[in-house]
Amino acid sequence: MQRMGLRGQAARFLDRAGVVDALFWAQRRLPPSFLTVLTYHRIGTAESAGDADPAIIDASPSEFDVAMKVVSEQCSPVSMDQVRRFFRGEKLPPHPVLVTFDDGYRDNLTIAHPILKKYGIPATIFIATDFINHRRVFWWDKVHALVRRSKKHELRIALGGDQVISLADRSRAAREVLRIAKSQTNFEIAPFIQKLEEATGVSLSESEERAWANEVLMTWDEIRGLRDDGVEIHSHTRTHRILQNVPPSELESELTGARNDLEDALGRAPYALAFPVGRSIRPFPHVR
């Protein structure tokens, strides 16, 4: 908290001193040397997260509005198509900014989209298709729900060895479970969730999960509506597995499978991919 406080104080000082405005002024007049990508997941409040992962909420509606106002006034918002044309030889405008969303949460439609339209900012949403197809909540949200609802005082779970995790702080415990899961080689979601259900003594029924998914995730009809209103839709894989840990033999399902899902739902194949849980990556075999 102290570090964030110091950052906030520094930002306010630079703003009052006019340094931020001067930097924006210079960037708008210089040839672009880099592309800024503002990546979001959810727009809302911590209270609106419920049992889901609160870390996925990147900004409140008012914070997002302020950020997009700054982007519209001080930067050059660009679309994914403009970025693609850049790689084919076209130029980007000064201080280009690309706004994107990962996953497919409904608040992208209900909260973010009207604000983006107000400021004339194009956006791209990367969809993890399996959750939209089968109306399942994202596995990290399920982790938070299972941990929050557990009546136990600690978790004993076999992931990379026997792990004992205190539940004194539920949010911290959920983050620790996710950290351990993301470090696993050949991590598979379904067996992991089953182990966690056994460890927490909690499970979500199929009907409960579907109802939750219908509340927080967009439908294909809603996604098509966004596409028709100018939002670009691209791939975030099928099940949001951690691609660094996926065996090459299973990449076809995650990558080509998601591409096919999007083409079937939208009538057009995506040309862009947002890499889930991005870190330094090993080379991939060719996947058509």
Side-chain angles (χ1 to χ4, degrees):
M1 293 296 292
Q2 182 180 8
R3 185 174 68 172
M4 293 302 292
L6 290 174
R7 286 179 177 175
Q9 292 173 19
R12 287 192 293 271
F13 172 78
L14 292 172
D15 188 33
R16 287 196 300 267
V19 173
V20 175
D21 286 340
L23 287 173
F24 278 133
W25 183 90
Q27 287 177 320
R28 288 198 305 270
R29 287 156 177 80
L30 294 173
S33 57
F34 56 85
L35 170 68
T36 299
V37 180
L38 299 180
T39 299
Y40 295 90
H41 299 81
R42 298 193 67 180
I43 306 299
T45 62
E47 294 75 19
S48 67
D51 282 341
D53 184 355
I56 299 299
I57 296 179
D58 298 299
S60 69
S62 61
E63 289 169 339
F64 185 70
D65 189 288
V66 169
M68 294 304 101
K69 184 175 188 292
V70 171
V71 168
S72 68
E73 294 176 350
Q74 305 288 357
C75 311
S76 299
V78 297
S79 67
M80 183 63 70
D81 188 58
Q82 283 177 275
V83 175
R84 178 172 65 164
R85 296 200 305 268
F86 166 77
F87 285 103
R88 294 176 174 176
E90 294 189 17
K91 293 182 179 181
L92 289 175
H95 200 188
V97 173
L98 176 69
V99 178
T100 71
F101 292 82
D102 286 354
D103 304 325
Y105 287 101
R106 176 165 283 122
D107 52 61
N108 298 179
L109 166 68
T110 59
I111 300 176
H113 185 56
I115 294 172
L116 290 162
K117 287 194 70 175
K118 179 170 73 170
Y119 294 112
I121 297 175
T124 298
I125 300 179
F126 295 96
I127 300 294
T129 61
D130 201 59
F131 301 92
I132 306 299
N133 280 334
H134 299 291
R135 311 313 293 165
R136 296 186 301 111
V137 297
F138 296 118
W139 58 269
W140 52 90
D141 285 334
K142 190 179 288 189
V143 166
H144 274 262
L146 295 176
V147 171
R148 283 172 61 91
R149 296 181 186 184
S150 179
K151 298 185 182 303
K152 298 185 178 181
H153 298 293
E154 64 180 20
L155 297 183
R156 294 181 177 273
I157 186 168
L159 279 175
D162 291 334
Q163 306 283 340
V164 179
I165 301 171
S166 170
L167 291 182
D169 184 330
R170 299 300 172 111
S171 293
R172 179 178 294 180
R175 291 196 300 270
E176 179 63 13
V177 172
L178 289 173
R179 184 196 66 77
I180 293 169
K182 291 175 182 180
S183 68
Q184 301 303 300
T185 302
N186 298 342
F187 170 70
E188 295 185 27
I189 296 170
F192 158 70
I193 292 295
Q194 183 177 354
K195 288 181 180 179
L196 187 60
E197 287 177 338
E198 294 169 356
T200 58
V202 178
S203 62
L204 297 178
S205 68
E206 183 177 337
S207 61
E208 182 181 8
E209 181 172 1
R210 178 176 290 273
W212 187 12
N214 287 337
E215 178 185 347
V216 299
L217 302 186
M218 289 187 288
T219 65
W220 283 120
D221 282 342
E222 290 171 329
I223 293 169
R224 281 188 285 267
L226 284 174
R227 175 208 58 192
D228 294 343
D229 207 22
V231 176
E232 290 202 51
I233 308 297
H234 291 290
S235 174
H236 201 35
T237 74
R238 255 186 172 160
T239 65
H240 205 289
R241 289 180 68 186
I242 300 157
L243 293 188
Q244 297 96 321
N245 301 331
V246 175
S249 60
E250 298 177 25
L251 286 173
E252 183 80 16
S253 174
E254 284 295 330
L255 299 177
T256 305
R259 182 181 187 275
N260 292 340
D261 289 343
L262 287 163
E263 186 171 18
D264 290 343
L266 305 178
R268 180 179 180 183
Y271 58 80
L273 166 75
F275 197 100
V277 194
R279 296 193 296 266
S280 297
I281 62 173
R282 54 182 170 78
F284 286 116
H286 177 65
V287 179
R288 292 183 295 170

